[in-house]
Amino acid sequence: MNLPQPPKRFQEYNKRLLNATREVSESTMQKAAKKAIVENNSDNNIAVAVDGTWQKRGHTSHNGVVTVTSMDTGKVIDVDVLSKYCACKDKKNHKASCKSNFRGSSGMMEVKGACNIFKRSLTFHDARYTKYLGDGDSKAFEAIAKENIYGDEFQVEKLECIGHVMKRMGSRLRRLKEKMKGQVLSDGKRLSGKNRLTDSQIDKLQNYYGLAIRRNLDCVHAMRQAIWAIFMHKLSTDENPQHGFCPIGEDSWCGFKKAEATGSAYKHKNNLPVAVVEAMRPVFRDLSHPDLLKKCVHGNTQNPNESVNNVIWLRVPKSTFVQIEALSLGVYDAVCTFNEGNSARLQILQNLGIEPGEYTLHDLKCLDKEKLLRAKYAISQQSKERRKAKRYKRKREEEKNKTNAQIAGYGAGMF
C-alpha cells in the first residue's frame, strides 16, 4: 500500500496530542465559564460544585483529579490533575524532569487541587467562586476559607450537596443499628428485626428524607416540618394518628390526609414500634437542624462532577496504573467531550494538523445524537422507576442473604 514507515518513538507524538487536547479542553472550559457568568446575570461571582476523585480506592492512590463544575450550567469549568508517583531513583533529590506534582497523603489531593483551582479563577476565567458546593468532608472548603483567597470582601459560602445530605440519613441509621446491636429497648425487643428497623426501612426513610428536602426548597421551615412528618408517620396507628405536620387536601402525599379529604377509610400500615422510633429521634433532630437545611435550599447536587468522574475513568481504567501524562490526556479528553460532545475532537484533530474527513464528521455527529437519546431516556419516568425497582430488588436480596447467613450461623472455619 506504499505506507510510510511508522515511527519508532512515540513520545514526541504523545506530547503533541496532549498539548492539542489540553488547548481544546481549556477552550471548552472557558466557554463554559462565560456561559455560567451569563446565566448568573453577568455577575462573575459564580457558584461551583467541587469534587475529588482517585484512580484507586482508599487512601493509597498515586493519582487524583479535582473537578469543578458550574452549578448554573453543569459544565466543567476547571480541573486539576495530581500525581505523587515519582520515578526518580533518589527520592530525596528529585530530578528537574520529575513528573510528580504533589507531596503528601492521597486524601489531601482534593484539598490541594481545590486550592489551586480557586487561586487561578481570576486569571483563568476572570471569575470568583463565591459559593462552594461540596460533600460532607469540608477539608477542602476549610483550606480555601483559611487562605481567604478573594479577601474579606468576597467570602466563600459553603453549600451542601442534597444527594450527600440525603445519604446521611441512611448512614446515621445504619450506624445506630450497628451500635445498638444486641441491646434491648424499652419494649423488651431489639432495634432491628422483622417489622422493626431493617435495611429496607432505612432505605425508605432515606428516600423520604430526600423528598422532604427537594419538595420544599423554597422554605426551610416547610422542609423541617416535612422531615418531622416522616418521623410522626412511623409513630402513627389507627388508634393514635400523628399527621399534624402532613399537608392537607386530596393531592396530599399523606394517605391519611388524602382519605380524610375524600371521606374514604384509611388503615395505617408500615408503622414502627414506639421504642424503635424514639431511638431514631436524635438522628432526625440532627438532620433537621435549620443550619444544615439552609445549605440545601439551592437544590443542587454533585451529580455533574460524578458524571465527569465516570467519563474520566472510562478513558483511564482504574484497574491499570498510568503516569500523569496518560492521566492528563484522559482527563482533558473527558472534559472536551463532556462539555462539547464528541464533536470537540474535530478541533483536536485540526490542532494536530489533521483535517477531518466526511466520514469522521458524520460519525462524531451520530455519536452525539446517540448520547442525547440515551440521556433523554435516562431521565424519563419509566427509566427511573426501572432503576429504582432494580435497586430495591438488589437490597432485598442482600438483606435476605444476610438474614439466612445469620440463621445458619455461617462463619470462617465453622465447616
Side-chain angles (χ1 to χ4, degrees):
M1 295 178 66
N2 199 27
L3 292 173
Q5 186 176 357
K8 294 181 179 179
R9 295 179 180 273
F10 290 91
Q11 188 173 1
E12 180 185 346
Y13 297 95
N14 289 339
K15 287 182 180 178
R16 288 174 59 188
L17 178 60
L18 177 60
N19 291 333
T21 310
R22 182 192 290 114
E23 288 176 9
V24 178
S25 172
E26 290 177 352
S27 175
T28 64
M29 289 190 289
Q30 287 173 345
K31 287 181 184 177
K34 288 178 181 177
K35 187 176 180 181
I37 293 171
V38 171
E39 291 287 330
N40 195 37
N41 298 321
S42 299
D43 185 356
N44 66 343
N45 298 318
I46 59 177
V48 297
V50 184
D51 192 31
T53 180
W54 291 262
Q55 190 178 19
K56 184 179 177 182
R57 291 182 179 178
H59 300 283
T60 58
S61 179
H62 286 291
N63 297 327
V65 182
V66 179
T67 60
V68 170
T69 61
S70 166
M71 283 175 57
D72 294 309
T73 64
K75 291 189 175 183
V76 184
I77 58 176
D78 206 350
V79 293
D80 202 43
V81 184
L82 299 162
S83 177
K84 63 178 185 178
Y85 176 74
C86 174
C88 301
K89 293 182 180 179
D90 187 356
K91 301 298 181 184
K92 294 183 179 180
N93 299 313
H94 295 272
K95 295 181 180 179
S97 59
C98 180
K99 297 173 182 178
S100 172
N101 64 353
F102 177 78
R103 302 283 187 273
S105 65
S106 301
M108 293 301 291
M109 284 184 177
E110 184 174 359
V111 177
K112 178 66 174 176
C115 288
N116 291 342
I117 290 172
F118 272 68
K119 286 177 181 177
R120 63 176 178 243
S121 67
L122 285 169
T123 55
F124 191 31
H125 296 309
D126 190 25
R128 300 180 189 87
Y129 308 148
T130 53
K131 291 184 179 179
Y132 178 110
L133 175 68
D135 51 27
D137 184 8
S138 59
K139 288 181 182 177
F141 172 75
E142 288 173 358
I144 290 168
K146 185 178 180 180
E147 293 201 21
N148 198 19
I149 294 170
Y150 303 128
D152 295 333
E153 187 179 355
F154 301 98
Q155 294 292 323
V156 181
E157 179 186 354
K158 176 70 162 65
L159 304 177
E160 294 288 347
C161 168
I162 289 181
H164 284 85
V165 171
M166 182 184 79
K167 290 176 182 177
R168 289 185 197 178
M169 175 63 77
S171 300
R172 288 284 301 271
L173 290 176
R174 288 185 188 94
R175 285 203 299 268
L176 177 69
K177 181 183 168 186
E178 186 65 27
K179 181 182 177 181
M180 299 188 67
K181 188 176 182 179
Q183 295 184 29
V184 178
L185 302 182
S186 58
D187 61 353
K189 297 181 180 179
R190 291 181 172 84
L191 180 66
S192 60
K194 188 176 180 181
N195 297 326
R196 297 177 80 81
L197 188 62
T198 60
D199 288 340
S200 61
Q201 279 285 356
I202 291 173
D203 291 336
K204 288 178 181 178
L205 288 169
Q206 176 178 294
N207 289 334
Y208 297 155
Y209 177 71
L211 288 172
I213 293 175
R214 287 186 170 93
R215 288 173 175 172
N216 300 280
L217 295 174
D218 56 338
C219 179
V220 172
H221 176 72
M223 197 184 292
R224 196 164 186 240
Q225 185 170 295
I227 293 169
W228 281 106
I230 303 167
F231 182 85
M232 302 307 291
H233 253 259
K234 290 299 175 182
L235 280 174
S236 296
T237 61
D238 292 335
E239 296 77 20
N240 185 25
Q242 303 281 337
H243 298 281
F245 292 143
C246 300
I248 60 175
E250 295 182 8
D251 57 346
S252 174
W253 54 262
C254 173
F256 179 84
K257 289 292 186 181
K258 187 184 292 185
E260 192 177 56
T262 57
S264 56
Y266 180 80
K267 184 174 178 61
H268 286 82
K269 55 184 179 180
N270 298 325
N271 57 310
L272 293 173
V274 176
V276 173
V277 179
E278 287 299 328
M280 298 190 296
R281 185 182 287 273
V283 177
F284 274 82
R285 184 173 58 244
D286 293 345
L287 296 182
S288 64
H289 198 282
D291 291 343
L292 172 64
L293 300 182
K294 284 176 185 176
K295 298 177 182 179
C296 300
V297 293
H298 53 82
N300 289 289
T301 67
Q302 286 180 305
N303 288 353
N305 299 71
E306 291 171 1
S307 297
V308 178
N309 297 343
N310 183 48
V311 176
I312 290 171
W313 301 124
L314 282 174
R315 285 156 175 71
V316 189
K318 291 191 174 187
S319 57
T320 305
F321 173 76
V322 295
Q323 295 190 27
I324 192 168
E325 294 95 338
L327 176 61
S328 299
L329 179 60
V331 170
Y332 296 140
D333 182 62
V335 171
C336 291
T337 54
F338 186 85
N339 281 351
E340 302 289 340
N342 288 283
S343 300
R345 288 172 171 166
L346 297 173
Q347 186 61 47
I348 296 174
L349 292 173
Q350 290 172 350
N351 286 4
L352 291 168
I354 302 170
E355 194 60 36
E358 179 183 350
Y359 292 112
T360 303
L361 294 169
H362 177 266
D363 288 347
L364 290 177
K365 287 180 180 178
C366 286
L367 287 172
D368 286 337
K369 287 181 180 178
E370 290 175 6
K371 181 181 176 182
L372 288 173
L373 288 173
R374 287 196 301 270
K376 286 180 180 178
Y377 174 72
I379 62 174
S380 66
Q381 191 63 29
Q382 180 185 0
S383 176
K384 288 180 180 179
E385 289 176 358
R386 183 174 293 179
R387 293 198 301 270
K388 189 176 179 180
K390 284 183 178 179
R391 282 197 300 270
Y392 276 133
K393 184 179 179 181
R394 186 175 67 250
K395 289 282 186 181
R396 285 196 299 269
E397 289 177 354
E398 289 175 357
E399 188 173 350
K400 184 179 178 181
N401 293 336
K402 190 184 294 184
T403 304
N404 291 340
Q406 290 174 352
I407 293 172
Y410 176 78
M414 290 181 65
F415 300 100

